[in-house]
Amino acid sequence: MDEQLIRTIVEQVLSQMQPTKPTQAPPGKIPIAVSARHVHLSEEHVKLLFGENYTLTSKAPLSQPNQFASQEQVTLVGPKAALHQVRVLGPARSLSQVEISMTDARTLGIDAPLRYSGDTSDSAPITLIGPKGSLYLKEGCIIAAAHIHMNEQDAKALHVVDGQFVNVQTCSVRPLVFQQVKVRVSSRFQLEMHIDTDEGNAAHIQGNGYGELVTAGVHKAPAELPPQQVQQLVPPKQTAVMTKKLITEQDIKELRQQELVIKKRTMMTALAQDMARKKGITIVRQ
Ligand SMILES: [Zn+2]
């Protein structure tokens, strides 16, 4: 090909590329990030694939504190095909784990289970190839189940608890309700829902989007997931009504609902107000 033609093609391709801007979620909405296939590696496996004394180098920070997309990439190999240039995320972890979409699993020809990060026992085997070596993982390849990271303040504001399963409606051109999304609460987390590329494509979300909690629906774990992952299930938001003139701490303590409707003139003790705040109960005066 002559040089002028190559230059023209490069210019045409570059003009098609548009910088992807992260979508800012409006207040009260949940930012959604689409996670492309990626790999977490143990220190030992970093050495095996990239060489002795090798450490992962950051290419770009990720939304969760201290996590980064590294410069390093590997090739994933299954019985049917290979996927090249798969990003390694850092820093190194105690266990190696490969997270792919169901489409990837079909391409590779492997039967990866739907799991939460860290739960790799009995998951699919996979081969990884790096510049300095290869590695056969007997288990460690999963399809990551959708989840939401958040800190305690977010959890309080959204009336959810750690381990709860919620439904999230995407605010996208192809709106979709994701059911059985697991809430993960930690002071280290930043509010963000993580879905994979298949889920992102289904909802027409590329890179970043946002959604909102929908309270309708039964919050229960996906049937495919082992029972130990089902914890602290909370019933859908319900409203209690109290007509008495004085609400005490004990009244709030016994309350199982997340919303309490009281009369305009009803008094609440300071302790009762504290307890309501602690339990994340919304008081509505009518
Ligand atoms: Zn995540």
Side-chain angles (χ1 to χ4, degrees), residues 134-149:
S134 75
L135 160 70
Y136 173 74
L137 285 181
K138 229 173 75 195
E139 56 184 29
C141 185
I142 63 167
I143 296 169
H147 56 275
I148 312 175
H149 296 267

Side-chain angles (χ1 to χ4, degrees), residues 33 35 38 63-64 93 99 117 144-149 184 189 192-195:
S35 305
H38 63 269
S63 62
Q64 301 308 318
R93 288 187 176 183
E99 295 177 46
S117 184
H147 56 275
I148 312 175
H149 296 267
R184 295 180 57 197
F189 287 158
E192 195 169 72
M193 174 167 157
H194 288 166
I195 56 178

